[in-house]
Amino acid sequence: MTPLLAEGTTRAAIGAAEGALQQGAWLLVALPLAGAALLLLGGRRTDAWGHWLAVAASWGAFVYGALLFLDLRSLAPEERVRDLTLFSWMPAGGFQLDAGLLLDPLSLAFVLLITFVGSLIHVYSVAYMEHDDDRRRFFAYLNLFVASMLLLVLANSYALLYVGWEGVGLASYLLIGFWNHNPVYATAAKKAFVMNRVGDFGLSVAIMIMFATFGTVTYAGVLPNAGEGSTNAMTWIGLALLLGACGKSAQFPLQAWLGDAMAGPTPVSALIHAATMVTAGVYLVVRSGPIYEAAPTAQLAVVIVGAVTLLFGAIVGCAKDDIKKALAASTMSQIGYMMLAAGLGGIGYVFAIMHLLTHGFFKAGMFLGAGSVMHGMNDSVEMRRYGALSGAMKTTWATFGLGWLAILGVPPFSGFFSKDGIIETAFATGEGWRPWVFGMATLIGAGITAFYMSRLFFMTFQGRKRWPAEAHPHESPSLMTVPMIILAVGSVALGGFLFVGGRFHDWLEPVTGAVEEHHPVIAKYPLMGLTLVLVAVGVALAWRQYWQAEVPQTAPRGSWITRAARKDLYQDDVNEAVFMRPGQYLTRSLVFTDTKGVDGAVGGLAAAVGGLGGRLRRWQSGLVRTYAASMLAGVVVLLLGVLAVRG
């Protein structure tokens, strides 16, 4: 990965090349942030039109991002990095940190994804949340979410990235717990918030070590000099960054919050899982590429986390009967693919971001499709009570089906180009056992993905009707179906558009460096054929079990692995046993030590002094004869003592 900018780059030279369009890049964040502020401060007066203001703010950010993309696209590759200073942020003696934005191919790729997919979700939400009394507040939170994510990817320093990082955490908490009158939903929001704070601690530690090592936390000051830092320091920075990425992107072992995050309205699930929150960890790892290249141990840890998570999420997805939780497990698995690719480095960076973009389209489309199904099925999420919805919801069936084919990696759909590239890269990177172990993990994951996603699709849209009598499935309104159609088009065409001719490789080259040709340990076309065979086997198994066979409306007991997958492979039980219970015991011990030890010692000393004082006070009667008797007794004692000594 090539350095972004040298610390000593002349600001004047950069400023001369920056046009007015680039200087106004702060509007990308300001537009949705202003929308959120107006809706929250305007109160009920904005109820009638506030949702459209939020939609306009999000689309405005997309239009500005598209103009910036075209502006950078017109420049030579070596000129496509712009470091823009906004204002002096942290002046402290000799230390100076400016708030600034970094416009480059990586940040603008994220800007386009966040604003385009996010804006489609805004439009969808207008109809989905139509009857909610707090729709204005919901759209304010959506705008806040988009603004925070844009700040995260546009920041030119780890410190400013941290601000956006925390903003995303806050917005996710507000949206997951939007219907917080339900205690279960409020608990889910709190769980997501707390688990993300664990990851955020890692990011904050990484920033501290960076400052101690380099004296700065800007990308320009850290990344070009990562190779000159000690391996030990780079390893600790890389591992701490990975902890932060695991929290935000729901990677093992901080993935337990993702399924519970389905408590929020379905558009929130689409926004979190497709365009914003869970992609932040992948961005962080790719942006920090030079650090990981200088720390092979930390880089290997990224690959291992990605491999474990992609299999973990796939196994969990096989047993979920809640359509949203099945999609959440799928997201966990697909982000695992991206993390694995990012940890491989080189061309892995390119395929990680490519899969992130294609996944943003087909997963957002499927989440919105799930919301459409819920809309037509009285908010039911139980796939065992669906079946044969393809006839009643043709548009939803078609758009969801295209997303299904994309995530399976069937050519020529988008997922084929990005996921197949990750599988090929896994088989081509590293020496000895690594290509085989990580390559086989991606292959097995592809087969399991085909099974559980086909299971979801067949249980929902095919087979026999299993609806309750009160259900009357129907197609959703156009404000919901049009965004789904647009996302379905991306599910079909985006991967090929990015891949053909090395278009996306060339675009990212100023950030990732020149991509070297790689040779997998299994030849490319046999490997591609093997992947498709595994996908076909997964689809066939799901077809036999969930389309041709009768699907019971009550889940059977199943095997031990099925029961474990239904409980998320006991991730909550492990967290409770390893962290929560010991934490409770530690807290109770500290409270006992404080109340019985510290407070007891202080209270005991006070009681002793008070008791002694009470006893001494009895001698102070105020009677002269009592004092005279005391003096006489004292004299007698002294005389006896003297006589005893002389005798």
Side-chain angles (χ1 to χ4, degrees):
M1 178 177 282
T2 56
L4 297 173
L5 285 174
E7 180 80 323
T9 303
T10 305
R11 296 283 180 182
I14 297 175
E18 295 169 350
L21 186 67
Q22 296 173 11
Q23 292 290 347
W26 56 272
L27 288 169
L28 289 169
V29 180
L31 286 172
L33 188 60
L38 287 172
L39 293 182
L40 291 174
L41 297 176
R44 293 294 181 184
R45 291 170 293 181
T46 64
D47 278 355
W49 46 268
H51 50 285
W52 290 117
L53 173 66
V55 171
S58 186
W59 279 115
F62 168 71
V63 170
Y64 204 99
L67 293 174
L68 283 171
F69 166 76
L70 294 175
D71 185 43
L72 255 67
R73 190 76 178 85
S74 65
L75 302 175
E78 63 273 10
E79 298 176 356
R80 292 175 183 167
V81 178
R82 291 286 181 262
D83 195 347
L84 310 175
T85 300
L86 299 180
F87 55 86
S88 177
W89 185 23
M90 296 183 188
F95 175 75
Q96 172 70 38
L97 179 62
D98 296 331
L101 304 181
L102 180 63
L103 300 180
D104 69 358
L106 179 60
S107 62
L108 280 187
F110 272 84
V111 165
L112 294 179
L113 174 69
I114 295 162
T115 54
F116 185 70
V117 175
S119 296
L120 290 176
I121 293 172
H122 275 67
V123 173
Y124 178 98
S125 301
V126 172
Y128 191 88
M129 301 294 290
E130 182 178 6
H131 302 294
D132 196 293
D133 293 337
D134 289 323
R135 180 168 64 168
R136 167 194 54 82
R137 181 165 57 88
F138 177 80
F139 276 89
Y141 295 162
L142 284 186
N143 267 194
L144 177 62
F145 210 147
V146 170
S148 299
M149 190 65 190
L150 287 172
L151 179 61
L152 189 158
V153 299
L154 285 168
N156 69 346
S157 69
Y158 285 97
L160 192 58
L161 174 143
Y162 192 82
V163 175
W165 194 271
E166 292 302 306
V168 169
L170 171 63
S172 67
Y173 170 76
L174 295 172
L175 286 168
I176 294 170
F178 183 74
W179 290 322
N180 55 29
H181 54 271
N182 185 327
V184 175
Y185 295 172
T187 300
K190 183 169 65 175
K191 181 178 180 180
F193 189 82
V194 171
M195 292 200 73
N196 271 271
R197 298 290 73 72
V198 176
D200 296 351
F201 172 75
L203 179 57
S204 63
V205 169
I207 295 173
M208 295 176 196
I209 301 175
M210 285 177 199
F211 180 75
T213 304
F214 301 104
T216 181
V217 293
T218 63
Y219 297 151
V222 173
L223 299 181
N225 300 312
E228 301 174 6
S230 69
T231 303
N232 188 49
M234 294 303 101
T235 299
W236 282 112
I237 292 174
L239 292 175
L241 290 173
L242 176 60
L243 180 61
C246 287
K248 273 292 181 287
S249 292
Q251 297 294 283
F252 183 84
L254 297 178
Q255 80 286 4
W257 65 269
L258 195 64
D260 296 86
M262 298 303 98
T266 301
V268 175
S269 305
L271 193 62
I272 288 177
H273 289 71
T276 55
M277 186 166 176
V278 296
T279 64
V282 180
Y283 171 82
L284 181 65
V285 172
V286 174
R287 175 63 77 191
S288 306
I291 293 174
Y292 286 102
E293 289 165 7
T297 301
Q299 192 173 36
L300 177 61
V302 174
V303 181
I304 293 173
V305 165
V308 170
T309 309
L310 77 87
L311 294 175
F312 190 107
I315 293 171
V316 169
C318 291
K320 293 295 184 181
D321 294 329
D322 181 319
I323 187 171
K324 290 175 66 176
K325 290 191 175 183
L327 288 173
S330 170
T331 296
M332 185 193 307
S333 180
Q334 297 304 306
I335 299 293
Y337 270 102
M338 301 171 206
M339 292 290 286
L340 184 149
L344 294 174
I347 197 172
Y349 295 130
V350 177
F351 283 120
I353 301 302
M354 182 187 294
H355 194 53
L356 188 149
L357 296 178
T358 58
H359 176 266
F361 276 79
F362 59 69
K363 185 54 63 65
M366 286 191 286
F367 262 112
L368 297 187
S372 180
V373 170
M374 293 168 58
H375 179 269
M377 293 293 290
N378 299 327
D379 289 329
S380 171
V381 295
E382 292 296 324
M383 294 188 293
R384 292 186 180 276
R385 300 299 181 95
Y386 291 166
L389 290 177
S390 57
M393 309 180 71
K394 290 183 172 61
T395 302
T396 301
W397 167 75
T399 55
F400 198 105
L402 293 174
W404 165 63
L405 292 172
I407 196 173
L408 260 56
V410 175
F413 296 90
S414 290
F416 167 75
F417 296 97
S418 55
K419 186 187 287 186
D420 192 75
I422 293 175
I423 294 172
E424 185 180 331
T425 303
F427 274 102
T429 306
E431 299 176 351
W433 56 269
R434 293 185 184 182
W436 292 102
V437 171
F438 298 129
M440 290 305 298
T442 60
L443 264 185
I444 295 170
I448 303 176
T449 299
F451 174 78
Y452 75 76
M453 287 306 303
S454 298
R455 173 183 182 270
L456 186 155
F457 185 68
F458 296 153
M459 287 179 72
T460 302
F461 295 103
Q462 311 303 148
R464 299 173 179 83
K465 298 178 181 179
R466 303 182 298 277
W467 318 331
E470 64 273 13
H472 301 284
H474 55 278
E475 190 57 88
S476 300
S478 58
L479 278 176
M480 294 172 65
T481 56
V482 169
M484 290 158 55
I485 293 170
I486 295 173
L487 291 168
V489 172
S491 300
V492 174
L494 181 62
F497 173 79
L498 296 175
F499 182 81
V500 173
R503 185 180 284 114
F504 195 61
H505 298 63
D506 296 339
W507 169 250
L508 283 183
E509 185 174 335
V511 179
T512 62
V515 174
E516 299 179 0
E517 185 178 358
H518 57 291
H519 303 282
V521 293
I522 301 177
K524 178 177 180 178
Y525 291 106
L527 180 59
M528 187 184 301
L530 179 59
T531 305
L532 293 176
V533 167
L534 288 175
V535 168
V537 170
V539 173
L541 291 174
W543 172 81
R544 185 184 68 177
Q545 187 171 348
Y546 298 102
W547 187 342
Q548 291 299 298
E550 183 69 30
V551 177
Q553 294 190 7
T554 302
R557 187 168 185 271
S559 64
W560 68 270
I561 186 65
T562 300
R563 296 194 299 272
R566 285 177 188 151
K567 298 187 69 174
D568 299 329
L569 297 181
Y570 304 111
Q571 54 187 327
D572 284 329
D573 299 285
V574 171
N575 289 340
E576 181 176 338
V578 176
F579 299 107
M580 193 193 85
R581 293 301 177 193
Q584 283 185 333
Y585 296 144
L586 175 62
T587 302
R588 291 169 183 170
S589 300
L590 293 175
V591 169
F592 179 83
T593 303
D594 182 59
T595 55
K596 302 298 183 182
V598 178
D599 290 350
V602 173
L605 178 61
V609 172
L612 178 62
R615 287 171 173 78
L616 293 175
R617 188 168 61 248
R618 296 174 185 174
W619 292 85
Q620 305 299 317
S621 62
L623 299 175
V624 175
R625 62 178 178 271
T626 302
Y627 296 156
S630 299
M631 294 172 64
L632 178 60
V635 171
V636 171
V637 170
L638 288 174
L639 288 174
L640 291 174
V642 171
L643 292 173
V645 171
R646 294 188 64 182

